Amino acid sequence: MKKVIVVANRLPITAVKRSKQVVFQPSVGGLATGLSSVPDLRSVWIGWPGMTSEKLNSNEKEFIEKRLAEDSFRPVFLNQNDLDLYYNGFCNKTIWPLFHHLIQYAVFEQRLWQSYDRVNRIFRDMVLEVADPGDIIWIHDYQLMLLPDLIREQLPNATIGFFLHIPFPSFELFRFLPWKKEIINGILGADLVGFHTYSYVKYFLDSIRRILGLENTYGEIIVNNRLVKVDSFPMGIDYDKFSNAATDRNVKREISRIRKNVGEKKIILSVDRLDYTKGMPGRLEAFEYFLENYPEFKGKVTYIFVAVPSRTKVEDYRFLKRQVDELVGKINGDHGTFEWMPIWYVYSSVSFSTLVALYIIADIALVTPLRDGMNLVAKEYIASNVDFKGTLILSETAGVAEELGEAVIINPANKVEIAGAIYDALSMTDKRQIKRNKDMHQRLQRYNIKKWAMDFTGTLDSVKKMQEDLNTKRFTMDAKNELVASYFASSNRLLLLDYDGTLVHIGESPEKADPDEELLRILTAVTDNEKNEVVILSGRNRETLENWLASVNLKLVAEHGAWIKEKEWEAIEPPMTDWKKEIRPVLEMYVDRTPGSFIEEKDFSLVWHYRNCSPELAQVRVKELKDFLLTLVANLNIGFIDGKKVIEVKDMNINKGKAALKWITKRDWDFVLAIGDDCTDEDMFSVLPDTAYSLKVGLGSSKAKFNVGSVKEVRKLLEALA
Ligand code: ADQ
């Protein structure tokens, strides 16, 4: 049976030492519940068990390994140095603040990065030990962003999913990260990349476009000839666990205990890890503002403020603790009386029964993070209140706000608005509360943690199937051997080769695509064989081809078939260029409105280049220009090609197909091979005889018989023919 290997920084169980004995604290999170419900999957977890190596002797380590193995957990042991530099360092001082748009807290230090890289490799080694062919490897969160690609390097066919639980930042912030390219490439080692919301998906795709120059189609990207899908999967909760809790005896007991202590006052609740992303000081100030501006509620409202200790080794968190302590003290001091304490401050983790009792008893849940990947507390609050009562006040900047739009949505930086929302919520009728909460309830019930886990693993499965479909036309070793054999058995051969993207890799600057020594050597060897006729069919102009390829005895086709050179250059048809004077002013207008773009004029075409423009602006302009050209082309008998970062307007009677036909019909060839990479080469593929071999470089549908991986593979093939 295939298994899912869940890799996360922490295991769902923590080892601690009590009176010199190692004991375990189970902390079953939502993820474990979700995965246990995916049919036909057995799961193995890999993660840090919670104690550093220095605190364990070899017997204790062995004991931990044995005990964890009973639950199919595999520990990754980290030492104190790793914990300081990787976890408390790069993870929580660099990535966490930056990804939450709080760059003022972020530090960028080489040694922290090096440790992150090293620890990701330690995790990789454990995955390699555990993984069998066919397993699903599901990697979680920001601590392990390099891991997908590290595994891919060793297991090229592995099924890898990656899910980020925190927000992905906008490019304007992400660009500050000195290791942004490594991080993006690391994540793209996965087959499926998931985020909580569509906004994070957009930010991620935007960074890929800007950093790697890779475009996507509906979230699908081709990375090194492998299809990668990026999509949103809003994480759900264990709905039944929370919605059934109201009838639990322990929960009922907790409710009476809390009610006895608070009395009949209205209850406002907040529950979070003590973290600067959660907006705690701003929330406390908003509560103070509420008391000052709605004094009629003094003595009638209690704010239960639960904060779970978190990352206490990081100075910013200690500072926040002091800040929160002071604010709570100040508000209680300024407004409290002998009979009434405005804020009940609990700085500890609470049991499940207490947590749900608080959710049920609270009239208001105040969830006001500055930024939050999702925020499960908001979902748990709604799910626990099966009578649909209570009001959720929610930050617009929490991922969960995209799903729970019926909540009272506020800006966490606006204390006046938050105070107003508290006032409205306290005055809200039951009827209105029920109406708001019912829809949210149903949504949480439907898209619960099980559905989420099945959705992610199911999508991962379908991505693998899509990859297989794309691979069916792959140019395998057998296909290559057959082609080579047929080549050597023939004596009258025609080779039709595109240039850019086929013989040379198109990098950032297409003007620097001149042939390197290796290519010239290969082309010379192939053309020197008198049984071969080799034609380069390119979109480039005559001068460029002439300059670059003069030293080789090639036949040339320039401007997509407009010019042909056997001995001298000849126009395939008399040039028809009247249309240029109408199109040029249009393109000039686009140059003026799109900084970085420029026009290239060829004999038979006009080309608008936009590779140096801002990708967003270019996307808009390309769409506008194409719409505009569509209205013009029919009358002018021209067409346009939506090429690689270019729009080329040209006479549609001229194409590579026509030029190729000129050669195909010239002689009775007993071997024909055509290789190309983009839409202009499809015209060439479509005129080939059935017996011809044709290869498209890269993935994607094509009239060519085979897809070949890269320019490198094309060169290898030509070398084999030399
Ligand atoms: P967190 O930042 O930890 O998670 P959150 O989504 O609210 O934030 O999850 C906290 C969990 O801890 C909840 O399930 C809650 O019940 C529990 N919890 C909180 N306070 C507690 C307390 N005092 N005692 C006991 N339990 C408590 C990260 C991201 C989030 C994202 C989650 C899941 O930062 O944005 O929603 O992962 O992907």
Side-chain angles (χ1 to χ4, degrees), residues 404-514:
L404 301 186
E406 295 87 351
V408 178
I409 305 290
I410 51 89
N411 167 358
N414 186 344
K415 66 178 179 185
V416 180
E417 189 184 24
I418 300 175
I422 296 176
Y423 174 78
D424 288 345
L426 290 173
S427 329
M428 203 183 280
T429 60
D430 284 357
K431 208 170 144 202
R432 268 185 69 206
Q433 290 175 13
I434 291 169
K435 193 165 174 297
R436 279 167 175 269
N437 291 349
K438 220 171 186 168
D439 285 349
M440 295 195 268
H441 228 275
Q442 279 165 0
R443 222 170 296 137
L444 295 177
Q445 187 169 16
R446 242 187 352 260
Y447 202 83
N448 57 23
I449 183 78
K450 296 178 188 171
K451 184 88 180 48
W452 173 79
M454 285 179 46
D455 203 9
F456 188 91
T457 47
T459 309
L460 183 51
D461 241 15
S462 63
V463 174
K464 280 321 250 193
K465 292 212 176 77
M466 280 156 71
Q467 290 176 347
E468 271 168 34
D469 289 348
L470 285 168
N471 279 344
T472 50
K473 277 176 68 179
R474 275 252 166 154
F475 191 51
T476 57
M477 198 38 104
D478 285 349
K480 182 177 172 183
N481 290 341
E482 192 208 300
L483 184 152
V484 173
S486 157
Y487 172 89
F488 282 109
S490 59
S491 50
N492 228 340
R493 310 169 188 133
L494 175 63
L495 276 65
L496 302 166
L497 309 174
D498 169 47
Y499 185 78
D500 290 79
T502 299
L503 297 177
V504 290
H505 178 69
I506 314 176
E508 302 280 300
S509 353
E511 59 276 8
K512 293 198 192 111
D514 51 321

Side-chain angles (χ1 to χ4, degrees), residues 30 96 100 141-142 163-167 196 200 235 237 242 271-273 275 277-278 306-309 311 346 348-352 355 359 367 371-378 380 399 452:
W96 178 267
H100 282 88
D141 229 358
Y142 64 104
F163 188 83
L164 189 74
H165 289 259
I166 65 172
H196 281 305
Y200 310 151
M235 187 173 179
I237 55 167
F242 286 91
V271 177
D272 342 58
R273 278 185 309 101
D275 193 297
T277 60
K278 303 286 181 185
V306 184
V308 189
R311 303 173 196 168
V346 181
S348 78
S349 186
V350 293
S351 69
F352 177 73
L355 182 70
Y359 285 151
V367 180
R371 203 155 169 79
D372 214 331
M374 172 55 76
N375 195 297
L376 299 179
V377 168
E380 292 166 3
W452 173 79

Side-chain angles (χ1 to χ4, degrees), residues 559-562 572-580 583 602-606 633 636-641 648-656 658 683:
E559 293 196 30
H560 301 297
I572 199 161
E573 284 181 13
M576 214 243 335
T577 52
D578 283 359
W579 56 271
K580 278 188 177 172
I583 296 294
K602 300 189 197 169
D603 294 329
F604 287 81
S605 65
L606 284 174
V633 290
L636 295 171
N637 203 16
I638 53 172
F640 63 85
I641 299 167
E648 178 154 7
V649 188
K650 68 184 201 59
D651 178 349
M652 276 327 245
N653 285 322
I654 291 170
N655 60 52
K656 284 189 186 176
K658 268 195 176 175
D683 292 326

Side-chain angles (χ1 to χ4, degrees), residues 43-326:
S43 62
V44 173
W45 289 66
I46 293 177
W48 180 56
M51 285 179 76
T52 52
S53 299
E54 288 86 344
K55 293 192 180 126
L56 299 164
N57 60 36
S58 55
N59 286 344
E60 287 168 330
K61 274 191 182 169
E62 210 174 294
F63 169 71
I64 289 178
E65 269 168 340
K66 268 203 183 135
R67 164 64 190 83
L68 293 182
E70 290 167 19
D71 288 321
S72 299
F73 297 156
R74 295 291 292 262
V76 172
F77 290 107
L78 301 177
N79 60 34
Q80 192 57 46
N81 194 44
D82 296 330
L83 208 66
D84 291 342
L85 302 179
Y86 148 79
Y87 182 68
N88 291 320
F90 196 76
C91 295
N92 290 331
K93 285 187 190 156
T94 308
I95 296 296
W96 178 267
L98 184 70
F99 279 37
H100 282 88
H101 285 187
L102 294 166
I103 192 166
Q104 67 272 30
Y105 292 100
V107 298
F108 302 106
E109 275 181 40
Q110 191 68 21
R111 63 193 189 111
L112 304 188
W113 160 252
Q114 282 161 349
S115 172
Y116 184 79
D117 181 84
R118 206 167 53 78
V119 173
N120 270 254
R121 285 168 200 274
I122 301 177
F123 273 84
R124 176 207 48 199
D125 294 343
M126 181 53 91
V127 173
L128 294 180
E129 237 179 69
V130 173
D132 292 308
D135 286 348
I136 293 177
I137 302 166
W138 190 1
I139 300 161
H140 289 264
D141 229 358
Y142 64 104
Q143 298 91 351
L144 299 171
M145 291 188 285
L146 300 179
L147 188 56
D149 195 50
L150 287 172
I151 298 173
R152 176 77 53 209
E153 281 171 6
Q154 304 297 321
L155 305 174
N157 299 320
T159 302
I160 306 175
F162 176 81
F163 188 83
L164 189 74
H165 289 259
I166 65 172
F168 194 87
S170 109
F171 180 71
E172 288 311 321
L173 285 148
F174 188 58
R175 71 188 322 161
F176 284 106
L177 186 67
W179 310 278
K180 55 180 173 289
K181 199 164 178 180
E182 288 84 343
I183 294 284
I184 289 274
N185 279 327
I187 295 176
L188 285 177
D191 301 297
L192 175 63
V193 180
F195 298 93
H196 281 305
T197 74
Y198 187 61
S199 313
Y200 310 151
V201 169
K202 276 195 305 193
Y203 286 150
F204 182 64
L205 292 173
D206 182 35
S207 284
I208 290 176
R209 187 189 297 127
R210 284 161 177 268
I211 296 166
L212 303 179
L214 296 177
E215 295 292 341
N216 74 89
T217 316
Y218 302 114
E220 289 167 18
I221 316 163
I222 303 292
V223 183
N224 299 328
N225 280 310
R226 190 171 43 85
L227 180 110
V228 177
K229 189 170 172 63
V230 183
D231 210 343
S232 64
F233 301 86
M235 187 173 179
I237 55 167
D238 186 352
Y239 174 85
D240 292 343
K241 188 170 159 202
F242 286 91
S243 64
N244 292 333
T247 52
D248 181 280
R249 237 165 9 117
N250 293 333
V251 173
K252 282 185 178 163
R253 197 174 336 113
E254 279 302 278
I255 293 178
S256 337
R257 189 173 67 90
I258 299 166
R259 185 50 82 197
K260 216 164 109 197
N261 287 321
V262 178
E264 283 316 303
K265 296 180 191 65
K266 294 279 187 185
I267 296 177
I268 301 175
L269 171 73
S270 67
V271 177
D272 342 58
R273 278 185 309 101
L274 193 96
D275 193 297
Y276 51 74
T277 60
K278 303 286 181 185
M280 291 162 151
R283 190 191 304 157
L284 288 166
E285 282 166 11
F287 180 65
E288 184 178 33
Y289 185 88
F290 168 76
L291 294 178
E292 284 163 359
N293 288 274
Y294 303 92
E296 65 272 29
F297 281 98
K298 283 192 175 189
K300 295 190 182 134
V301 179
T302 297
Y303 181 4
I304 303 182
F305 185 99
V306 184
V308 189
S310 180
R311 303 173 196 168
T312 46
K313 298 265 159 49
V314 180
E315 178 51 34
D316 287 326
Y317 285 73
R318 284 194 232 149
F319 177 76
L320 176 69
K321 168 79 172 43
R322 287 196 294 276
Q323 209 184 353
V324 167
D325 289 353
E326 277 170 23

Side-chain angles (χ1 to χ4, degrees), residues 381-392:
Y381 175 68
I382 295 291
S384 304
N385 284 288
V386 277
D387 59 359
F388 309 126
K389 291 208 193 126
T391 304
L392 172 63

Side-chain angles (χ1 to χ4, degrees), residues 673-709:
L673 167 64
I675 315 180
D677 76 314
D678 68 18
C679 58
T680 65
D681 300 311
E682 294 298 314
D683 292 326
M684 168 171 78
F685 296 141
S686 64
V687 299
L688 296 174
D690 287 348
T691 50
Y693 291 92
S694 49
L695 306 181
K696 176 188 163 74
V697 185
L699 292 178
S701 67
S702 167
K703 292 188 188 114
K705 285 186 182 156
F706 297 105
N707 290 84
V708 63

